[in-house]
Amino acid sequence: GVFRDLFINQMNLMDRGIKMAAEADEPLDQNFVRKHALEQAAELNISLREASCRVFSNSAGSYSANVGLAIENGGWEGEEQLQEQFLTRKGFAFNADKPGMMEQQADLFKSALKTVDVTFQNLDSSEISITDVSHYYDSDPTKVVQGLRDDKKKPMSMMADTTTANAQVRSLSETVRLDARTKLLNPKFYEGMLSTGYEGVREIQKRLRNTMGWSATAGEVDNFVFEDANGVFIEDAEMQQRLLDTNPNAFRDMVTTFLEANGRGYWETSDENIERLQELYAEVEDRIEGI
């Protein structure tokens, strides 16, 4: 949405360039833009030029897929709901032939995504990582593409790290592991957060919730991330007490996130850990309610 609003000239150039490629008289084995656009034109009974739209976003004045919002409040029944939400809100095509208009093209959007082999995002700020905020996974289409592909194969998911002059491209799973080890599971990080008090505990919980977000949209979070986080924040009785005393509401949300991650199949752990979390949830709830 922000790019749509601020970089309309660049989006216009991208759309024009893609349309030129689709209309170029070239062999289909050398021009996959044309190949797919021709297939989509036939499938949807539309013109080649319309079928070559490849720049999609929200409707005018609308922002995000709201997938992050659903995951943050836990109000989603399954991944299918998140994927349909993404497709519905992001399925508006930018068309250089109709500047300033965002037309709903959900069928064309789905048809284009069916042929995707690789998803890609760019991390451009060292101050905001992929679990600091929800908008990175909110925009991630990995499982959306998997659900649309005829072979149900999950596309390769890549992330470019351009936060330094030494830019690197890593797999999404590697990026999630790196982020977990340097932030959520790093004593320097979580002790620094705890030193700030109430808000620090909320920041730790938010990062755990956003990590689960990547499980929901991409399935690229290793089991050890949740297991080690449980070891740091739940199994350690002293740490558990510090979190509870500093911000009981955020700690309750943390316990809820662990239970939800297990319940949704993102974290495999022992029955003992789950029983401990269930008991802990009841204890924290009683404390908050003053029982």
Side-chain angles (χ1 to χ4, degrees):
V2 174
F3 282 89
R4 174 202 61 211
D5 295 343
L6 298 180
F7 301 110
I8 189 170
N9 292 332
Q10 288 83 345
M11 292 177 67
N12 183 65
L13 286 171
M14 286 176 62
D15 186 65
R16 287 169 56 195
I18 294 166
K19 284 179 166 59
M20 289 175 66
E23 293 172 339
D25 185 12
E26 296 175 345
L28 299 186
D29 61 347
Q30 297 180 22
N31 185 338
F32 288 99
V33 173
R34 179 173 175 79
K35 176 179 182 293
H36 292 148
L38 285 169
E39 292 172 352
Q40 287 152 1
E43 175 191 350
L44 302 174
N45 194 28
I46 57 178
S47 69
L48 173 63
R49 193 165 181 83
E50 187 178 358
S52 62
C53 288
R54 289 295 182 272
V55 183
F56 294 88
S57 182
N58 295 75
S59 61
S62 173
Y63 301 87
S64 90
N66 281 351
V67 169
L69 184 62
I71 289 175
E72 285 169 15
N73 62 35
W76 52 291
E77 294 183 3
E79 292 177 0
E80 296 78 9
Q81 176 187 334
L82 301 179
Q83 293 162 18
E84 187 59 35
Q85 196 168 301
F86 179 93
L87 291 167
T88 301
R89 290 184 60 83
K90 293 293 184 181
F92 291 79
F94 180 90
N95 191 339
D97 297 336
K98 301 176 183 178
M101 295 178 61
M102 298 294 295
E103 294 185 326
Q104 187 169 26
Q105 295 279 7
D107 291 339
L108 180 58
F109 188 37
K110 292 177 184 178
S111 182
L113 288 174
K114 283 171 63 176
T115 64
V116 168
D117 291 323
V118 180
T119 66
F120 179 84
Q121 288 197 63
N122 182 49
L123 184 64
D124 59 5
S125 172
S126 58
E127 296 182 0
I128 302 177
S129 76
I130 61 171
T131 57
D132 275 315
V133 292
S134 63
H135 78 255
Y136 282 110
Y137 71 78
D138 183 274
S139 301
D140 177 69
T142 302
K143 285 189 177 180
V144 174
V145 171
Q146 181 181 15
L148 292 172
R149 284 179 60 112
D150 293 334
D151 60 7
K152 302 304 178 185
K153 179 181 178 182
K154 189 162 73 172
M156 183 185 301
S157 301
M158 306 302 293
M159 182 78 71
D161 181 352
T162 58
T163 57
T164 67
N166 182 28
Q168 298 184 54
V169 177
R170 303 183 180 94
S171 68
L172 176 56
S173 59
E174 183 181 0
T175 305
V176 173
R177 286 195 297 271
L178 180 63
D179 187 84
R181 286 180 172 131
T182 55
K183 298 289 183 67
L184 182 65
L185 303 176
N186 183 354
K188 289 186 177 180
F189 169 79
Y190 60 73
E191 288 294 347
M193 288 292 101
L194 285 170
S195 69
T196 67
Y198 186 92
E199 181 63 16
V201 180
R202 194 187 71 82
E203 283 294 320
I204 296 171
Q205 150 56 17
K206 183 180 72 173
R207 187 172 296 277
L208 179 65
R209 172 65 61 166
N210 288 339
T211 299
M212 192 186 73
W214 283 110
S215 293
T217 63
E220 295 291 348
V221 182
D222 292 321
N223 198 72
F224 85 83
V225 174
F226 293 111
E227 193 72 17
D228 287 4
N230 180 73
V232 171
F233 302 113
I234 303 299
E235 290 183 2
D236 185 328
E238 182 181 347
M239 173 63 76
Q240 185 187 119
Q241 194 63 45
R242 289 172 65 191
L243 294 168
L244 177 60
D245 292 341
T246 306
N247 188 336
N249 289 287
F251 183 57
R252 176 183 59 184
D253 292 344
M254 180 181 293
V255 174
T256 301
T257 301
F258 280 117
L259 289 170
E260 186 177 346
N262 174 258
R264 295 190 187 276
Y266 303 142
W267 174 38
E268 294 182 8
T269 191
S270 66
D271 292 339
E272 180 184 353
N273 279 339
I274 298 304
E275 289 172 6
R276 180 192 297 115
L277 287 164
Q278 291 170 339
E279 292 171 0
L280 188 56
Y281 180 87
E283 293 172 10
V284 178
E285 186 73 13
D286 288 346
R287 172 162 173 173
I288 292 173
E289 296 297 328
I291 298 176

